[in-house]
Amino acid sequence: MAMSLKTPEKIRTFQRKLYCKAKAEPAFRFYVLYDKLCREDILHHAYALARANAGAPGVDGVTFAKIEASGSEDWLAGLREELVAKTYRPAPVRRVMIPKPGGGERPLGIPTIRDRVVQTAAKLVLEPIFEADFEDNAYGYRPKRGGADAIKEVHRLICRGYTGVVDADLSKYFDTIPHSDLLKSVARRIVDRHVLRLIKLWLKAPIEERDEEGRRRMSGGKGSTCGTPQGGVASPMLANIYMKPVPQTLAAHCPRRSIPRPCRFLRRRLRHPQQRARERGAGVDKVGDDQARADDQRGENLGEGRPDGELRLPRLYVRAASLSQGWPLVSGREPIQEECPTAQDESRRIAGAR
């Protein structure tokens, strides 16, 4: 079966309608969606996306090669019949432990291919609705966004003089999301009981683990009250839905203010960091009033107590060694568009050159 990762125009048009309706009416609740994720074209595209992501098989051991050897069209037709008849039940999730970069291990849940296809179909239908509600400053697990885009935005704001950064990490977030509150968050937009039931089935799916001797151990299931498998297709979207009030609250209580005078010095120092690093060999200037201190509320001197050749902002490190070699601040992306120097800055630069 020929596959294409480009979203078919019919599905794209449907997604645009959902997004526009959700954006225009923030209080609107969608009530007939289950039949949409059972559509043949959506299931075929969901299979293509799941096939492109590859991944290990679930507890049943079925791989894409086995499905295509027996006929993917018949396999999708059988899956659709189960969804239409509402006899579909997710299989247990296979849990494996993967090492974390900073040490320790992270549990990863691997659904079966059958469940991954259904979750992808549900995501194709539900994601445009919730994308209309998410804040623009949220970058995690969203289409056409990522961590590199967040870094670029942080750098842009630093160049404008904003230096306060809140760095927070939610410990075991996916494993601790309460099911009842998550379903309530989804129900604020979705009132189709069949879609809500489908999501609940995924949340209540048992977890299968195997010890070093290969013995199987089951956990979770109907008795579980929190957690969504980190590794499931729908889990990142559900995690963002539950997290949605946090950036909205921060945006409401932390409005952007005018740049204080001490921060303007920092802005000038950071406007062209690569050029200054090449000329002076350090990330900050240490002359007169241009010491590049942080604003009075934080009271931290960015130029003191740091290793040579390193500029420190809160949770942000810029090494002069990298800058002196002309490496971009954000690798693998287009160059960051920085502020153009003002006429006053240009006159100072010419006077300094003389």
Side-chain angles (χ1 to χ4, degrees):
M1 182 172 61
M3 295 289 178
S4 174
L5 294 184
K6 182 180 179 181
T7 303
E9 189 59 32
K10 185 177 180 181
I11 298 177
R12 177 62 68 195
T13 301
F14 172 63
Q15 290 178 324
R16 289 196 192 103
K17 291 180 179 179
L18 290 175
Y19 178 86
C20 292
K21 180 67 174 179
K23 198 70 174 178
E25 301 183 34
F28 184 81
R29 303 173 78 187
F30 295 79
Y31 46 88
V32 181
L33 292 174
Y34 184 80
D35 61 318
K36 309 300 188 298
L37 64 90
C38 297
R39 282 171 30 177
E40 290 186 11
D41 58 339
I42 288 182
L43 285 175
H44 276 76
H45 187 55
Y47 179 86
L49 294 174
R51 179 71 177 85
N53 288 332
V59 295
D60 57 0
V62 175
T63 63
F64 285 102
K66 291 181 179 180
I67 293 173
E68 292 170 3
S70 59
S72 57
E73 290 285 358
D74 294 337
W75 185 87
L76 280 172
L79 178 59
R80 183 175 182 274
E81 288 179 3
E82 291 184 29
L83 289 171
V84 172
K86 299 180 178 63
T87 58
Y88 163 81
R89 297 292 184 277
V93 177
R94 182 166 69 93
R95 172 172 286 179
V96 295
M97 305 301 292
I98 59 175
K100 298 171 66 174
E105 293 181 322
R106 176 185 291 112
L108 183 67
I110 304 178
T112 62
I113 293 177
R114 173 171 164 270
D115 295 334
R116 297 207 292 265
V117 171
V118 179
Q119 289 186 28
T120 304
K123 184 181 177 183
L124 289 171
V125 175
L126 300 180
E127 190 172 57
I129 297 172
F130 291 102
E131 274 293 315
D133 296 336
F134 292 153
E135 294 289 322
D136 290 337
N137 55 9
Y139 293 89
Y141 304 115
R142 296 185 61 187
K144 297 183 180 180
R145 289 172 175 245
D149 299 303
I151 294 174
K152 288 171 64 176
E153 177 65 11
V154 169
H155 180 265
R156 186 183 70 82
L157 292 173
I158 289 175
C159 291
R160 292 179 58 189
Y162 296 94
T163 58
V165 177
V166 177
D167 184 23
D169 184 22
L170 300 178
S171 177
K172 300 180 180 178
Y173 174 57
F174 280 81
D175 297 332
T176 56
I177 298 176
H179 293 169
S180 59
D181 293 339
L182 173 58
L183 289 172
K184 289 178 182 177
S185 299
V186 176
R188 292 189 181 98
R189 273 298 201 175
I190 310 297
V191 292
D192 188 325
R193 62 188 180 93
H194 300 300
V195 173
L196 295 175
R197 171 181 168 272
L198 193 62
I199 294 175
K200 187 174 181 179
L201 287 174
W202 292 330
L203 295 175
K204 301 293 184 180
I207 306 295
E208 179 184 294
E209 299 178 81
R210 292 188 180 272
D211 58 20
E212 297 178 354
E213 298 179 359
R215 291 176 297 193
R216 190 174 72 165
R217 182 179 62 187
M218 304 295 291
S219 60
K222 294 182 178 180
S224 63
T225 60
C226 62
T228 177
Q230 188 171 356
V233 178
S235 294
M237 180 186 67
L238 296 175
N240 276 344
I241 292 171
Y242 183 69
M243 176 66 70
K244 186 183 70 173
V246 175
Q248 291 177 339
T249 303
L250 290 175
H253 290 81
C254 302
R256 292 183 180 178
R257 302 168 182 169
S258 59
I259 304 175
R261 185 173 181 275
C263 290
R264 295 195 186 104
F265 289 116
L266 178 61
R267 178 181 61 184
R268 289 201 295 270
R269 301 284 67 75
L270 293 175
R271 181 172 294 147
H272 305 289
Q274 295 186 2
Q275 181 63 27
R276 295 184 180 277
R278 294 189 189 101
E279 293 175 354
R280 305 173 187 265
V284 294
D285 292 0
K286 301 183 178 68
V287 181
D289 292 335
D290 292 339
Q291 270 189 322
R293 294 179 180 273
D295 60 81
D296 296 336
Q297 293 181 349
R298 195 177 81 246
E300 180 184 1
N301 186 349
L302 304 181
E304 293 181 356
R306 307 306 308 166
D308 292 337
E310 184 176 286
L311 164 64
R312 180 185 185 276
L313 295 176
R315 302 293 180 184
L316 180 69
Y317 296 87
V318 180
R319 298 184 182 277
S322 301
L323 297 177
S324 62
Q325 298 178 27
W327 296 349
L329 293 177
V330 182
S331 59
R333 312 292 277 190
E334 58 272 24
I336 298 172
Q337 299 297 325
E338 300 182 3
E339 291 186 42
C340 297
T342 63
Q344 185 180 13
D345 291 334
E346 187 66 16
S347 62
R348 289 180 177 175
R349 186 186 66 79
I350 295 174
R354 292 176 181 175

